[in-house]
Amino acid sequence: MGRHTRALRSVGDQEAVVEPGDGHDDLAKALYQEFGGSLMAFALRLTGHDRQWAEDVVQETLIKAWRNADKLDRRPEMLRAWLFTVARRIVIDGWRSRSVRPQELEEIESDAITVSDESDRTLAAMIVYEALQGLSPEQREAIQQTYLRDRTVNEVAATLGVPPGTIKSRIHHAVRALRRALRERG
């Protein structure tokens, strides 16, 4: 080990992070080696599996550990508790700031913006009306009663005095004819 290397070493029956020398440079590296995997898994759960955000949380947590190296309790269970608490607080702060800040939207080119107007609806209605005129009167009646007046097949059958199967057949053939007519008109 180098002069400024920190590592986890056994002390009695407990492990502790030791700091040879007076530098803090390798503390973050030692903490990452020991707790990085579990800290990353924890951060992923907290961030809703946003990997980039979780990586940022782990990095910020280790930076805080590095800045507070002189104050840290070096027992592994205490370090782990401290790291996970800091990570959780970082995520909570992130959630709070995201909820306060308005969501960023991509800039849209003015040519790509379409404004709907009534002319599109009117044109579509005219095309459908023309297609309906190509149906037989029985098929048109079945379509109007079921789709436009929102009645069930049984209600239409009772109103027209025909079996429900006849209404189903008329609707089936009418829909096929409408599809063909609308496809032809574009």
Side-chain angles (χ1 to χ4, degrees), residues 39-165:
L39 191 58
M40 182 64 175
F42 181 68
L44 277 169
R45 280 193 310 274
L46 293 177
T47 60
H49 299 284
D50 181 334
R51 185 158 194 82
Q52 185 177 0
W53 186 15
E55 288 171 355
D56 291 345
V57 168
V58 170
Q59 182 178 9
E60 191 173 339
T61 301
L62 294 175
I63 290 170
K64 287 186 185 233
W66 180 76
R67 287 183 181 154
N68 293 292
D70 295 333
K71 302 171 192 166
L72 292 176
D73 185 335
R74 300 305 170 102
R75 292 175 293 172
E77 65 275 3
M78 298 306 290
L79 280 172
R80 180 180 169 85
W82 188 88
L83 291 168
F84 279 59
T85 300
V86 169
R88 185 175 53 80
R89 289 180 180 163
I90 291 169
V91 172
I92 290 170
D93 290 345
W95 283 116
R96 286 180 182 157
S97 68
R98 286 179 181 200
S99 68
V100 172
R101 195 175 341 136
Q103 184 152 358
E104 297 173 12
L105 301 174
E106 289 184 29
E107 191 173 322
I108 301 172
E109 293 182 30
S110 61
D111 295 342
I113 299 174
T114 59
V115 179
S116 70
D117 59 5
E118 289 300 311
S119 64
D120 290 339
R121 289 183 78 183
T122 303
L123 182 60
M126 289 171 54
I127 291 170
V128 170
Y129 178 79
E130 286 177 16
L132 281 170
Q133 298 311 308
L135 300 176
S136 71
E138 295 83 14
Q139 290 174 335
R140 192 171 36 255
E141 182 69 22
I143 291 289
Q144 287 174 339
Q145 291 290 326
T146 55
Y147 286 100
L148 303 178
R149 294 193 180 135
D150 199 28
R151 293 185 176 160
T152 67
V153 169
N154 290 336
E155 289 172 341
V156 175
T159 302
L160 298 178
V162 295

